[in-house]
Amino acid sequence: MVIASAGIFTAVPFAHAAHRLRRPSLWWWTALYTAAAVALLFIMPSSQGQTAASTTDVRSTLGALGAIAIMVAACIQLSGIRRDVYGLPQPVRPPLQPQPSWGADPAVAAALALRAKREEARTLVARDPALARDLRIGRPDLPRQFDDGGLVDINTAPSSVIAQCCGLDDRAAEQIERARQQHPVPFQSVDELLVFAELDVSSWDLIRERAVVYP
């Protein structure tokens, strides 16, 4: 619906998800995309009353860019929300099959062990968020005993800690902090942070590998 309507009816799937999941933040996104659609309709030139071709061209260009931005942002957000709405399983990364020559390398074995711990910790966050918070999963800045393999909570951990855990620089930490200050509600997915923080695409996989979001 988002793509078929060129972004005009983007609010509809968000309203459906908000009704099914009972998440107040999704109603906020419904209102935001409704306002964006109204603005988009206002920007797009009508077939009547246009006498200046240059004005029509500018408004058409702005409208097209706005529609593309809405569709891209909405599709990224909805990719994770759809799984919750329809009860679909979360995508599972296939286990890395090491080459025979890796077996004797202790560094590779340690890295794979940490990856397995991160996946186990993510599963615990999804199934029992209260217990995960008690264990302080995703909060390496706080005293704790549970080893989550190096996860970091993008909503509550300090931005400098997020950048350090994900191997990012100070500029990325500032972008993350600015995005969190401007975002009215906690991020519902890692992809939301990637969009709003305007982080370099080269850092996306680093963040997805370490970041965690509580439901």
Side-chain angles (χ1 to χ4, degrees), residues 90-198:
Q90 294 294 326
V92 178
R93 296 179 181 177
L96 183 61
Q97 299 295 333
Q99 298 297 327
S101 59
W102 296 2
D105 191 330
V108 173
L112 293 176
L114 288 175
R115 177 177 291 177
K117 289 182 178 180
R118 289 195 293 271
E119 294 304 324
E120 292 175 0
R122 283 194 177 96
T123 300
L124 181 57
V125 169
R127 294 181 177 177
D128 196 339
L131 177 59
R133 287 189 174 92
D134 289 341
L135 295 174
R136 294 177 175 173
I137 291 177
R139 294 303 306 271
D141 55 307
L142 299 178
R144 59 180 182 172
Q145 295 181 337
F146 182 81
D147 185 2
D148 59 15
L151 291 179
V152 61
D153 183 358
I154 61 174
N155 284 315
T156 61
S159 57
S160 58
V161 174
I162 297 175
Q164 182 180 6
C165 289
C166 297
L168 307 178
D169 55 21
D170 293 339
R171 180 174 177 273
E174 294 174 358
Q175 290 175 269
I176 292 172
E177 183 61 30
R178 183 168 58 251
R180 294 200 305 188
Q181 292 175 355
Q182 295 174 351
H183 203 265
V185 294
F187 293 110
Q188 298 296 318
S189 68
V190 176
D191 287 336
E192 280 191 31
L193 173 66
L194 300 181
V195 171
F196 281 91
E198 298 180 351

Side-chain angles (χ1 to χ4, degrees), residues 4-28:
S5 65
I8 300 299
F9 296 131
T10 299
V12 174
F14 281 91
H16 175 254
H19 176 73
R20 290 284 299 272
L21 300 176
R22 306 296 182 185
R23 289 182 186 172
S25 62
L26 292 176
W27 285 117
W28 186 90

